[in-house]
């Protein structure tokens, strides 16, 4: 048997196995348990049988004693009745108590004899010479209240024979009496009172039952008198016997009152118990042995099942090779790896199983506990080859031996690993080649306290800063000082006067932890191009401005011609009147006043044109201005265009007095351009009105220009492209400039279709120029931004 101490499986591991109980042979255990149960049942039955026989013997002996007492009681009572027959008749005649002297002497239990008349009264009474605990019946008293005696008198007269009455007690005493009634022919009766308690006590004393038994008188099956003795204990051996010649319902019962002895005190019981204990001890040892053997078997099978599960779950092929180089065991992974399906490699040599022999290695190394590893190309059963890694490990020797039992050969398919390593190396080379070919200086520095270790630097970084980490640190400091957008920032290196675009990221570096990578690109040329484009955009904006002024020239000429013609007419009229001498001081003053008003009107028109023309040439003038003033200034020039196109402008300011922080002249140019585009678009339809509406919210001001023209003929995204236009005479930069102006105010332009036909332009400006850029993006109506030049 395997010792439990040698096969120790972890209890938690056995709990896993117990989920599906292992089937073990429990027949011997069941037989042993059945034998133990049988012996216990047999021992219990034997003891019960001995106890039952003992009770039967005791009851038999007690029955014999009862019969002896009953026989003696019958003999004495009958002898008493016979001895009273003749004296009773003489007593009836003489009423002399001496006739009973001999009877009282022979029968101590006889207490008294009375002569009762038919009406129940006592005519004469005699008492025994011995002590009596009863109060005798006096002459002249009645016995009519004594039911038992009356019943006996009636029955004796009827049968004309002496009759014993049922037991009774007198004067509430605990002594039991019975009356012997002897009928007289005249209807009178002689009644002899007998103490049953004294008579039975005498009989029990003669039978020597004073200490062993308790005697009770029964009437109708119940103790009489009821309160004389305590109830009979349950389980006691009691024997009941009829008391003859008393009535049939009177008997006595004897009960063994001696303390019950233990069953084991008997010799047979002791013998059986000793034999049973010996057998139980022997069977218990056998049961313990079988339980240990069954547990050892369970643990062994559990270990085998667990090892088999381990072997089947291992992805490496496993072989157990004996000292003769023969395969003793192979797991499922090995069979699948080499293609063993129906056949098994067990019994084959290692060379036949996997194509390599352990003989190539010194076996002594295995006994020394050394592990041998090698790689080679193996061949499957179907002829295909694969790369594998083999590890040969000597099996541990059995306890008490020094020589190994064999070897454990682990075979692993490393074909995919080799491919992965090759692919990884190739990918590494490609990555390095890509980084080296980038037009950016890439460097990686290990991030630790007081430690700036340069982990990687490509060729371009080395060209600029060499193998030193100082270049990385200086670029990082400039990056931290710049306003970065996400991980990217544009910095100006004043040391060499170059603009650099820097991308910073933190990444885990193998073997080092968190590291910082910087990718630096020289964008000086791009910055110069952007500056040049800004200059060109300024020039294009000025050109657009001048074009707008040129388009307004003819209208301005008409506007200036009116005040100039009026001045000429007033001056000519005044001169004519002066030459004819028909002038007066008041008329001359009136004419001069009108001339001054007309010249001021012309000067105001010229100042507005000059301020509009010079606005784009200088810097922005941000001031706080009311929307009423912006609308009024815009309409002064817009009405000139309206007269030219024959249009009407419907103005609606819903927020009069609302203040806006902006460059008023630049916003006026944007609104004037949108109104002009709306009027041009309306020329292709019958519409003669352009609607100009101003509203405001808590966060922004909305200028809305709506027309009923031809609508948008192209995609809205295209109209913001510089120099794109659908007009024959347009340059395509008007709305692009308008958008630039609005976005410089942190606003935006939104376009949508008009429900009645045409287009609606909305200029959304934040109430504060310094509001965040997100404000303009989150507010306003939804729509697509476009350029009115496309109309």
């Amino acid at each position: 048997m395997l010792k439990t101490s040698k096969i120790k499986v972890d209890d938690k591991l056995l709990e896993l196995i117990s989920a599906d109980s292992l089937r073990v042979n429990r027949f011997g255990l069941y037989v042993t348990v059945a034998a133990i149960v049988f012996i216990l049942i047999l021992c219990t039955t034997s003891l019960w049988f001995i106890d039952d026989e003992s009770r039967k013997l005791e009851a038999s002996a007690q029955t014999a004693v009862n019969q002896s007492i009953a026989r003696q009681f019958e003999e004495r009572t009958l002898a008493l009745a016979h001895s009273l027959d003749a004296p009773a008749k003489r007593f009836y005649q003489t009423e002399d108590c001496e006739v009973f002297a001999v009877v009282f002497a022979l029968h101590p239990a006889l207490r008294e004899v009375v002569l009762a008349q038919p009406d129940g009264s006592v005519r004469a009474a005699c008492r025994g010479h011995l002590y009596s605990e009863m109060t005798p019946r006096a002459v002249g008293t009645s016995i009519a209240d004594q039911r038992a005696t009356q019943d006996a008198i009636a029955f004796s007269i009827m049968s004309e024979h002496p009759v014993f009455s049922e037991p009774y007690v007198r004067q509430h005493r605990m002594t039991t009496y019975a009356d012997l009634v002897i009928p007289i022919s005249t209807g009178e009766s002689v009644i002899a009172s007998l103490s049953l308690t004294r008579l039975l006590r005498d009989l029990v004393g003669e039978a020597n039952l004073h200490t062993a038994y308790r005697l009770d008188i029964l009437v109708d099956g119940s103790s009489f008198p009821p309160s004389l003795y305590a109830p009979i204990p349950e389980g006691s051996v009691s024997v009941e016997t009829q008391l003859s010649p008393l009535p049939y319902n009177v008997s006595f019962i004897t009960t063994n009152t001696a303390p019950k002895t233990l069953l084991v005190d008997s010799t047979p019981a002791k013998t059986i118990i000793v034999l049973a204990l010996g057998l139980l001890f022997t069977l218990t040892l056998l049961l313990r042995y079988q339980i240990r053997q069954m547990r050892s078997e369970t643990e062994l099978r559990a270990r085998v099942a667990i090892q088999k599960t381990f072997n089947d779950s291992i992805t490496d092929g496993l072989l157990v090779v004996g000292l003769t180089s023969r395969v003793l065991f192979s797991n499922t992974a090995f069979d699948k790896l080499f293609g063993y399906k129906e056949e098994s490699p067990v019994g084959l040599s290692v060379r036949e199983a996997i194509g390599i022999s352990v003989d190539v290695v010194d076996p002594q190394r295995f006994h020394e506990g050394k592990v041998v590893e090698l790689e080679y190309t193996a061949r499957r059963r179907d002829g295909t080859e694969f790369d594998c890694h083999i590890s040969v490990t000597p099996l541990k020797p059995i306890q008490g031996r020094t020589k190994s039992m064999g070897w454990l050969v682990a075979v692993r398919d490393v074909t995919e690993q080799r491919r992965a390593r090759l692919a990884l190396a190739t990918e590494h080379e490609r990555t390095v080649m890509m980084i080296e070919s980038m037009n950016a200086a890439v460097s990686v520095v290990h991030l630790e306290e007081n430690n700036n270790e340069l982990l990687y630097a490509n060729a371009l970084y080395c060209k600029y800063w060499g193998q030193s980490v100082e270049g990385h640190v200086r670029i990082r400091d400039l990056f931290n000082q710049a306003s970065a957008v996400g991980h990217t920032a544009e910095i100006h290196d004043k040391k060499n006067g170059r603009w650099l675009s820097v991308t910073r990221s933190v990444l885990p570096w193998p073997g080092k932890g968190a590291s910082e990578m910087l990718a630096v690109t020289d964008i000086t040329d791009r910055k110069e191009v952007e500056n040049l484009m800004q200059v060109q955009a300024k020039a294009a904006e000025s050109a657009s401005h001048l074009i707008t002024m040129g388009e307004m020239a003819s209208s301005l000429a008409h506007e200036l011609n009116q005040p100039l013609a009026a001045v000429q007419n007033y001056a000519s009229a005044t001169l004519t009147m002066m030459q004819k001498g028909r002038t007066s001081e008041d008329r001359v003053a009136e004419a001069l006043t009108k001339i001054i008003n007309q010249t001021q009107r012309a000067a105001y028109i010229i100042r507005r044109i000059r301020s509009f023309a010079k606005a784009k040439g200088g810097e922005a003038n941000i001031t706080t201005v009311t929307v009423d003033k912006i609308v009024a200034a815009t309409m002064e020039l817009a009405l000139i265009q309206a007269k030219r196109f024959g249009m009407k402008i419907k103005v609606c300011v819903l927020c009069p007095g609302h203040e806006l922080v902006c460059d008023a002249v630049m916003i006026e140019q944007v609104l004037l351009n949108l109104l002009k585009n709306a009027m041009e678009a309306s020329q292709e339809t019958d519409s003669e009105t352009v609607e100009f509406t101003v509203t405001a919210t808590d966060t922004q001001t909305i200028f809305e220009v709506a027309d009923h023209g031809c609508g948008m003929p192209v995609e809205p995204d295209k109209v913001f492209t510089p120099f794109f236009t659908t007009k024959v005479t347009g340059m395509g930069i008007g709305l692009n400039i308008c958008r630039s102006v609005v976005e410089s105010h942190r606003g935006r332009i939104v376009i949508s279709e008009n429900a009645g036909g045409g287009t609606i332009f909305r200029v959304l400006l934040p109430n504060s120029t310094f509001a965040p850029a997100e404000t303009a993006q989150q507010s306003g109506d939804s729509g697509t931004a476009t350029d009115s030049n496309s109309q």
Side-chain angles (χ1 to χ4, degrees):
M1 183 189 70
L2 295 175
K3 295 183 178 180
T4 306
S5 59
K6 298 299 181 181
I7 303 178
K8 191 66 176 177
V9 181
D10 185 65
D11 292 338
K12 295 300 180 183
L13 199 57
L14 284 177
E15 288 182 7
L16 298 177
I17 299 301
S18 64
D20 186 10
S21 301
L22 297 174
R23 300 178 63 87
V24 295
N25 187 6
R26 295 184 173 88
F27 178 75
L29 180 64
Y30 296 153
V31 171
T32 304
V33 173
I36 293 176
V37 173
F38 176 75
I39 290 175
L40 291 175
I41 294 175
L42 182 61
C43 181
T44 304
T45 304
S46 301
L47 294 176
W48 176 84
F49 179 77
I50 292 174
D51 181 67
D52 185 67
E53 289 298 322
S54 176
R55 293 172 64 89
K56 288 181 179 179
L57 291 175
E58 182 180 352
S60 178
Q62 194 169 338
T63 301
V65 172
N66 281 19
Q67 290 177 355
S68 175
I69 294 174
R71 186 169 56 254
Q72 294 181 17
F73 180 85
E74 182 178 5
E75 290 177 355
R76 294 189 182 188
T77 54
L78 291 177
L80 175 63
H82 180 70
S83 61
L84 286 175
D85 186 30
K89 293 179 180 179
R90 289 196 301 270
F91 179 68
Y92 169 72
Q93 294 173 357
T94 64
E95 295 182 4
D96 186 6
C97 293
E98 291 296 329
V99 297
F100 299 111
V102 176
V103 178
F104 280 125
L106 294 177
H107 299 280
L110 181 62
R111 297 306 188 191
E112 70 175 359
V113 178
V114 298
L115 178 61
Q117 297 180 357
D119 59 356
S121 60
V122 177
R123 184 163 65 94
C126 297
R127 184 178 183 187
H129 301 290
L130 299 178
Y131 168 79
S132 176
E133 68 281 352
M134 65 180 291
T135 301
R137 297 184 178 98
V139 176
T141 60
S142 177
I143 61 173
D145 57 340
Q146 298 178 357
R147 177 177 170 277
T149 303
Q150 291 292 335
D151 291 343
I153 292 172
F155 187 71
S156 66
I157 294 174
M158 182 183 63
S159 62
E160 296 181 353
H161 289 285
V163 174
F164 282 93
S165 69
E166 292 184 356
Y168 66 91
V169 293
R170 291 170 62 178
Q171 289 87 32
H172 303 288
R173 299 184 180 275
M174 303 308 295
T175 304
T176 305
Y177 299 94
D179 290 342
L180 174 61
V181 180
I182 302 173
I184 305 299
S185 60
T186 59
E188 295 179 331
S189 301
V190 176
I191 302 172
S193 298
L194 179 66
S195 176
L196 296 180
T197 303
R198 171 64 184 272
L199 179 59
L200 291 176
R201 185 167 60 245
D202 293 342
L203 294 176
V204 169
E206 294 176 2
N208 197 20
L209 298 179
H210 293 86
T211 59
Y213 294 94
R214 164 184 162 181
L215 188 144
D216 295 318
I217 298 176
L218 302 181
V219 177
D220 294 328
S222 301
S223 296
F224 186 87
S227 59
L228 182 59
Y229 297 106
I232 299 174
E234 294 183 1
S236 301
V237 177
S238 301
V239 177
E240 182 181 356
T241 306
Q242 184 71 31
L243 275 178
S244 179
L246 296 180
Y248 69 93
N249 62 336
V250 180
S251 60
F252 74 96
I253 183 171
T254 57
T255 305
N256 189 354
T257 59
K260 188 174 180 60
T261 59
L262 295 176
L263 184 63
V264 296
D265 291 341
S266 63
T267 302
K270 292 179 180 180
T271 303
I272 291 175
I273 290 174
V274 170
L275 292 177
L277 290 177
L279 288 175
L280 287 175
F281 179 74
T282 304
L283 291 176
T284 302
L285 293 179
L286 179 61
L287 179 63
R288 182 173 179 270
Y289 174 83
Q290 289 176 340
I291 291 175
R292 291 179 60 186
Q293 186 179 28
M294 187 177 64
R295 178 172 177 82
S296 299
E297 181 182 356
T298 303
E299 292 179 352
L300 181 60
R301 297 184 66 177
R303 181 179 287 266
V304 172
I306 294 171
Q307 290 178 349
K308 184 177 184 302
T309 303
F310 285 167
N311 292 333
D312 293 341
S313 62
I314 295 175
T315 57
D316 294 345
L318 297 179
L319 285 181
V320 177
V321 181
L323 297 176
T324 59
S325 298
R326 294 284 178 178
V327 177
L328 304 179
F329 170 80
S330 66
N331 68 342
T332 305
F334 181 87
D335 296 343
K336 292 181 180 180
L337 183 61
F338 283 88
Y340 289 96
K341 298 180 180 178
E342 298 179 357
E343 66 275 12
S344 173
V346 177
L348 301 178
S349 65
V350 177
R351 184 182 298 276
E352 293 174 345
I354 60 177
I356 189 172
S357 175
V358 296
D359 297 336
V360 298
V361 184
D362 184 9
Q364 186 62 32
R365 295 178 57 189
F366 298 152
H367 296 305
E368 294 174 356
K370 298 180 179 179
V371 179
V372 179
E373 296 186 1
L374 52 92
E375 292 187 0
Y376 82 111
T377 301
R379 185 183 298 274
R380 296 187 178 92
R381 303 290 289 177
D382 57 3
T384 59
E385 294 183 348
F386 64 95
D387 297 329
C388 68
H389 176 274
I390 294 182
S391 176
V392 182
T393 305
L395 297 177
K396 293 182 179 180
I398 299 177
Q399 185 177 6
R401 299 178 58 184
T402 58
K403 187 177 180 181
S404 173
M405 297 184 298
W407 299 273
L408 177 65
V409 180
V411 183
R412 180 183 303 171
D413 187 356
V414 295
T415 304
E416 294 299 328
Q417 293 182 4
R418 285 188 175 181
R419 292 177 182 175
R421 286 198 298 266
L422 180 60
L424 183 61
T426 304
E427 188 66 25
H428 176 71
E429 293 179 359
R430 291 176 180 173
T431 303
V432 172
M433 186 180 298
M434 290 174 59
I435 295 177
E436 293 294 338
S437 62
M438 288 174 56
N439 188 25
V442 180
S443 59
V444 180
V445 169
H446 185 210
L447 291 178
E448 282 187 359
E449 261 189 59
N450 302 324
N451 181 21
N452 288 321
E453 179 185 356
L454 185 63
L455 301 177
Y456 175 80
N458 66 348
L460 191 57
Y461 178 89
C462 296
K463 177 181 177 182
Y464 291 156
W465 296 287
Q467 296 290 341
S468 174
V469 75
E470 296 179 358
H472 182 101
V473 174
R474 187 163 63 85
I475 296 300
R476 180 175 60 193
D477 294 340
L478 294 175
F479 181 90
N480 294 333
Q481 297 172 5
S483 299
V485 179
H487 298 284
T488 305
E490 293 182 356
I491 63 175
H492 184 249
D493 190 356
K494 297 180 180 180
K495 185 176 180 179
N496 52 23
R498 308 294 292 179
W499 281 93
L500 303 176
S501 175
V502 181
T503 301
R504 179 182 181 271
S505 59
V506 177
L507 69 163
W509 193 262
K512 291 293 184 179
S515 302
E516 178 187 60
M517 183 181 73
L518 295 181
V520 183
T521 305
D522 191 344
I523 59 172
T524 304
D525 295 339
R526 192 189 74 185
K527 280 288 187 180
E528 293 177 354
V529 172
E530 289 178 356
N531 293 334
L532 181 60
M533 290 180 64
Q534 291 179 0
V535 173
Q536 292 177 351
K538 289 287 184 179
E541 184 178 351
S542 299
S544 175
H545 195 68
L546 293 175
I547 291 172
T548 303
M549 293 298 299
E551 291 176 351
M552 297 175 61
S554 59
S555 299
L556 292 175
H558 176 72
E559 290 295 325
L560 291 175
N561 187 49
Q562 290 181 357
L564 291 176
V567 169
Q568 182 180 1
N569 291 333
Y570 291 143
S572 299
T574 302
L575 180 60
T576 302
M577 287 188 294
M578 290 178 63
Q579 290 176 353
K580 294 181 178 181
R582 292 184 295 180
T583 61
S584 65
E585 184 177 351
D586 293 336
R587 298 183 66 179
V588 171
E590 181 182 357
L592 292 176
T593 300
K594 292 181 179 180
I595 292 174
I596 291 173
N597 290 336
Q598 293 298 324
T599 55
Q600 288 178 349
R601 177 185 175 191
Y604 178 76
I605 294 173
I606 292 173
R607 283 198 306 271
R608 290 299 301 146
I609 296 301
R610 288 183 62 187
S611 64
F612 182 79
K614 293 173 62 178
K616 295 302 291 184
E619 296 295 332
N621 182 19
I622 303 299
T623 59
T624 301
V625 62
T626 61
V627 295
D628 310 73
K629 184 176 180 180
I630 294 176
V631 172
T634 302
M635 291 305 299
E636 288 180 357
L637 300 178
L639 290 175
I640 297 175
Q641 298 289 340
K643 291 180 181 179
R644 175 185 172 189
F645 291 112
M647 299 291 294
K648 296 180 181 179
I649 300 177
K650 183 180 179 181
V651 181
C652 181
V653 179
L654 300 179
C655 52
H658 176 70
E659 293 184 348
L660 182 65
V661 180
C662 63
D663 187 329
V665 177
M666 295 175 68
I667 298 302
E668 292 170 10
Q669 179 183 354
V670 172
L671 298 176
L672 180 62
N673 195 5
L674 294 179
L675 290 170
K676 174 190 172 186
N677 290 341
M679 290 185 287
E680 289 179 348
S682 301
Q683 295 298 308
E684 301 180 8
T685 62
D686 296 335
S687 176
E688 297 180 353
T689 304
V690 173
E691 297 175 356
F692 183 24
T693 306
V694 183
T695 59
T697 64
D698 294 338
T699 58
Q700 63 183 359
T701 305
I702 304 172
F703 296 92
E704 181 179 298
V705 178
D707 63 69
H708 298 279
C710 59
M712 295 295 296
V714 296
E715 293 293 332
D717 293 340
K718 294 183 179 180
V719 297
F720 283 111
T721 304
F723 305 108
F724 174 82
T725 182
T726 58
K727 297 187 293 186
V728 178
T729 60
M731 294 181 62
I733 60 174
L735 193 56
N736 181 269
I737 295 174
C738 291
R739 185 182 66 173
S740 299
V741 172
V742 173
E743 289 179 352
S744 68
H745 285 73
R746 301 291 180 91
R748 62 192 183 108
I749 298 179
V750 177
I751 184 172
S752 60
E753 294 183 358
N754 198 342
T759 310
I760 299 176
F761 293 91
R762 292 184 179 90
V763 177
L764 311 177
L765 296 176
N767 292 335
S768 174
T769 303
F770 305 101
E774 293 82 359
T775 304
Q777 297 294 333
Q778 296 174 355
S779 58
D781 298 334
S782 60
T784 304
T786 185
D787 193 341
S788 63
N789 288 338
S790 62
Q791 295 182 354

